[in-house]
Amino acid sequence: MSRVGKVERTTRESSVYVEIDLDGTGKVEIGTGVPFYDHMLTALGVHGSFDLVVRATGDVEIDAHHTVEDVAIVLGQALREALGDKAGIRRFGDAWIPMDETLAHAAVDVSGRPYCVHVGEPEQFNSFTIGGNYPFVLNRHVFDSLAFHAGIALHVRVEYGRDPHHITEAEFKAVARALRAAVEPDPRVGGVPSTKGVL
């Protein structure tokens, strides 16, 4: 069964198309107009082993915020669509990712109940812009929007780190690996992995 989600969303601030194949091999085609975000979404697709297409245009001349957040919204919607009824998946996944001096952890429950906990980022970087185009403070917006629109519980924690680039990249890679584990088919699960019978 194909586990592909395709979602398009257009507002006065952005136009976004996302396609995700949960059973892919990490092939990516990313273009958002925000170069560092492209780098992070590429990491998400490659390390999640998802085939991922993201095409977005937005008012980046004003700020990256609208485009970054809107892409996260549509990515979450596409992920939810690709998951279907969630039968046969592992449901839970987590990953620890070291990146040089940084260590990040992500845990995922494909529960149908959206929730996001995002802790541990050093507050001194909240006004920092990575690569001159991606405000560090947007990380929380990305993970909040992804969790809410995908219908997942997502916990992202930075244990330590001193480079905003490394911190952000470790978080995205941890989320990718945790999602990969959570959405993988489990040969021991025949139906929906819930005592309620639905997720």
Side-chain angles (χ1 to χ4, degrees), residues 61-78:
E61 71 282 357
I62 296 172
D63 192 281
H65 186 121
H66 296 149
T67 301
V68 169
E69 187 171 14
D70 290 352
V71 166
I73 288 169
V74 179
L75 178 59
Q77 292 171 339

Side-chain angles (χ1 to χ4, degrees), residues 1 29 51 93 100 102 111 133 141 144-145 151 186:
M1 188 179 87
E29 179 190 325
D51 289 348
D100 296 350
T102 297
S111 60
N133 59 81
H141 285 294
D144 274 342
S145 298
D186 185 341

